[in-house]
Structures are given as C-alpha cells and as structure tokens.
Amino acid sequence: MARSVRFLLAAAAAALSLSVAARAAAQPLPAEQRQLVDRVFAAYDRADTPGCAVAVYRGGEIAYARGYGLASLEHRVPITPQTVFDIGSTSKQFTAFSILLLERDGKLSLDDDVRKFVPELQPLDPVVTIRHLMLHTSGLRDYLTLWRLAGMKLENWTTQEDAVRLVARQRRGNFPAGAEWLYSNTGYLLLAEIVKRVSGQSLREFAGARIFAPLAMTRTFFLDDHTTVVPGRATGYAPRDGGGFSVDMSNFEQTGDGAVQTTVEDLLRWDTNFYDPKVGDRALLERAQAVGSLASGRKLDYAAGLMIATYRGLPTVRHGGSWAGYRAELLRFPTAHTSVACLCNLGTANPSALADGVADVVLAARLQPKPRLAPPEARPAAVVSAERLESLAGFYENAAAGGFRRLVVRDGVLVAMGQRLKPVAQDRFVPSAPGVEFFFPPAAQGVPQEMHIVRDGRGPEIHRRVAAPPVANLAEFTGAFYSDELEATWTLVVREGHLTASVLNDPPSVLTAVKPDVFVSDDGLVLRFERNAGVVVRASVQAGRVTNLVFARR
C-alpha cells in the first residue's frame, strides 16, 4: 500500500515510545475481558473436540493465554499455551526473514534472478527474481496444486528435492513475472532452497541458528523430517462425515512455504523482536514490512511473508496458515503494541476470525465501530419460490478471471460450492460466513443473468450465467491424457452418462459441459479441450493457482 512507509515510521515511533510505559501496562487482562475472550472460543471449550490455543501479547508480555479443547483425542490431552502446532503459511515470515538476513550478509540481492541459485528451473521472460518469489508476483504455478492434480495425497512421503524437481519441469507460468499477484507456495519453497544453496544449511538449520536460538524460541523449528518425534505437539483433525473426527496429518517434508512447529508462548519472542530487535535490526524489520508493487506500479498489501493492512482503523501486520488439520493466525497491532496468536488443530477452525474477535475485546476502546452489517443469522429469511430458485441455478462464469461457479437447488435451498445460501430478498442471498452477499440483478431480455458476489462491501465480483451447450458426444473426449510437466496421466471415461476424469487412486471427478469443448468438475477444475482437424488432441486445465497446464491425448 502507498501508506506503508508512513505506517512503518509510525509503528517504529510507537514502539520506541512504549518501552517502560507499555511494559508497565502489560498486566493480565481484567476478568471481564478474559470471560469475553473465552466466549470467542466457546465452541472449542469442551473435552470432546479439537480446539485452539490463544495468547494476547501486550507490551512484550503475555496478558492472557489459554487452551481450549484437546490436543489429542486419542489420549484426552488438553490444549495448553505450551502445545506445539504446525502453523502452515504463517511460517512464511520466517522464511522471508532468513532471506533478508542473507541479503544483509551480502550473500544475495532480492533482485537476483532465481536461476542464479536454482539453475535447473526453466528460463522465463521476464526473469523471475527473489523479490518476485517473496511477494507472490512470480507467476510460478503453485506446487501443492500441481501435486494435487497429479493425484498426490498429504499422507504421501515427499521431500524438498521432489518438490523442486516438479517445479523445474514447469515450462510455463500463470502470468509474466511482476504482472499480477497470485498466492503461490512455490515461491517460498524456492526461497527455502535458496537459503540452503547460499548458506550451506537447510532452512531448519539456518533459521534455528539465526532466528529461533537467539530469541530463545526453544520449541520452534522447521519440520523437515516427518518421522521426527515432536514433544507436546497437537494432532491435526478434520470433521468426519456423520460425526466425530478424523486424523488429518501430512508426511510432506518441504519447508519454506510452511512447516514451522511452534507454540503461542514461543511466538511472543518473535513478536517482541519487531519492537526490540535482537535478530536483525530496525532497518531489516522495516524491509520485512515494506509492501511490494507490480510492474505497473500498483502497490500490494503483501510484504516479506506478511500482510500489511488495517482492522477497524488500526494498522495491522498479520498472516494466517492452513495445512492438513492445522490452522493459525498471528495478528499484530504495532501502534497499540498488542498482538493475538491463535493456533488450532481442527481443519474447520477459522483462527483469523477468532483473532479478530479477541482484538474486538482487548482493543475495544481503540477500534473504530464495526460496519453495520447484520450477521447472516440476524437477517430475516425471505420466502422465495421453488421456480425462482430453479431460475437462478446453473453455471456462472467469472467475467474477469474466467473460472466457473455452479449453483444448484438442494432440498429447497440454493447451494453454491457446498455453501447453503439463505434468501434475504428475492434477489439477495447470504451464506453462513459474515460479510458475503450474492446479488442477482434483473436480467434484460436476451442478456445472461448476472451474479454479483460482494465481500465486506467490496466488489462486486461479477459472474455471468452460461447457457448449457448442445449435447456433446462424450466419447470424443475419452482416453488417456498425459502431462509431461506433472508426469501424470488423467483417464477420461464415460460413466453412467457422464464424462469423468481420474488420476492414480483418486475417485473419479464428474465433468459437466458448460460451453462447447469446455467442462467443469464438481470441485471447480476447468478443462478446455482443443481439436486438430475436428479431433480432440489435448486439454488445458485451470485449477485455482495453476493455469494453462496442458494434457496431451495419447
């Protein structure tokens, strides 16, 4: 953002002025605030569910910390502030900081071509720099999505070397480096590889010696061996269909984009370093929080593994994480010298919203009023006829990005991507998540129905309904389709009148035609088939953080 420099100066000034006074104010939360924080976590404050650990930092001290729910359902071990969690992408700030330390050492420049250190990558024009990797502007396809498309499972054993080889096979990017912003774990995987090749140490060794040990973060490390015994670690879980929970863990051994194991108590020491640096100096910390920009000059809200934004009028520095059955958020309010760490071991938990809820309590006097948006459950339901619901069902194409969303009527309710939409007017529907609204403006004669998705008052994200194409001869699209960039084969067959696609031991995905030679799977993949002399010869796949991935028909 353009205000990033002013923000950093204000944060630095606030940090310097807080020292004695702020630390003196770092007292335990009053009983009333503790009770309100506990209410935020009421759904997890039970002895039969996974849950979360939370800590509130004020003036360099823990003002409140508590665990809710169980770290191990098998052994009935409760979550405490000492419980270790995998923090997923919240790890990225430590990877970026390691790169900045190497830059300060004179070992590299953020404007270096990545191929200077990882020469096996395919050359791209324009070149991809370390800075592009750090800011998610490289255009490199997300390696986790690529592996999913190849049928890789979280329980498979994969290494850093496996992942780098996969990235090195990619001959195309999603877009030219610097042209757009698209979150990609590949950038941080490669940053970890650069740390290893420049320093001669793995990221686990480098960060351990240069960050975690100096800060006395004794229970924090990058996990690069899935067989490691981690004392006090919570097990990751996911809800099981029909009730109860399933273990949701990963055997991936890549680092950089994730893999930090830590506690809410250890994260205090990292948070404190942004006010009173023991690792790095104030200039390096300012670089870590300086947002980047696109080649067009447009400012981003992303810095070195950190999101720079505001929440209810106060500047924030934050990053969330999601991996297997773990979820995480570290939210800092620099001008208030207050932070919230929230780490969870349930895949459906939303620690970002939970951390916001804690901030609403502990910073109530300093935050601007919330926008007057009634939560979905508070908005009265409207009566919408079955005919009206059916008239809105169908496939809608994103006017800007080209992806598709499918709306169906299920049990008398409009459903979008698995979310039930509650009607609040004849043309407005809301999911259970707050701040989101689906609006269907009146459609003129002969013009496709539009669907506008509004998030937190921003937008709208415009989608246009596509008419069902003529019935296709599905046999034209069957066969084996191979991607040499994935080294994987998709098998397309007709089952019970539907075209389906499968890879390895994945269950078949049903493909539905939305345009001539364009199909969409139930989980949102888009396949665009190409012909030569009328015969289908290849398919181009779009899958979120991966585009233009070609599968050639064999």
Side-chain angles (χ1 to χ4, degrees), residues 524-542:
L525 302 182
V526 181
L527 283 75
R528 292 180 167 85
F529 291 91
E530 301 174 28
R531 296 175 182 265
N532 184 10
V535 177
V536 172
V537 294
R538 66 181 62 88
S540 178
V541 174
Q542 177 181 346

Side-chain angles (χ1 to χ4, degrees), residues 196-209:
K196 177 181 177 181
R197 298 189 185 190
V198 170
S199 71
Q201 297 176 295
S202 67
L203 180 59
R204 175 175 181 165
E205 294 167 335
F206 183 89

Side-chain angles (χ1 to χ4, degrees), residues 139-143 170 172 174 184 186 485 547-549:
L140 297 179
R141 294 164 173 162
D142 181 76
Y143 83 95
Q170 306 305 304
R172 309 168 191 84
N174 291 325
S184 176
T186 297
E485 292 177 288
T547 62
N548 304 316
L549 183 65

Side-chain angles (χ1 to χ4, degrees), residues 146-164:
L146 290 170
W147 259 342
R148 179 172 65 86
L149 295 173
M152 187 72 73
K153 306 290 193 300
L154 290 182
E155 56 267 30
N156 291 127
W157 175 29
T158 63
T159 66
Q160 185 85 4
E161 292 74 20
D162 294 331
V164 172

Side-chain angles (χ1 to χ4, degrees), residues 210-289:
R210 298 288 298 273
I211 300 174
F212 303 141
L215 294 178
M217 298 174 70
T218 58
R219 307 194 72 183
T220 303
F221 65 99
F222 275 96
L223 179 65
D224 57 5
D225 176 357
H226 76 280
T227 67
T228 300
V229 174
V230 183
R233 181 171 61 172
T235 300
Y237 296 98
R240 184 186 290 276
D241 291 341
F245 302 95
S246 301
V247 171
D248 190 2
M249 302 285 282
S250 170
N251 290 332
F252 284 17
E253 292 185 347
Q254 305 81 248
T255 60
D257 56 312
V260 165
Q261 317 293 299
T262 192
T263 71
V264 295
E265 288 188 344
D266 261 15
L267 286 174
L268 166 69
R269 298 172 175 86
W270 170 246
D271 183 77
T272 301
N273 195 63
F274 280 79
Y275 301 98
D276 182 17
K278 293 182 179 178
V279 173
D281 52 25
R282 198 157 300 283
L284 190 148
L285 290 166
E286 289 179 1
R287 285 180 65 74
Q289 298 172 92

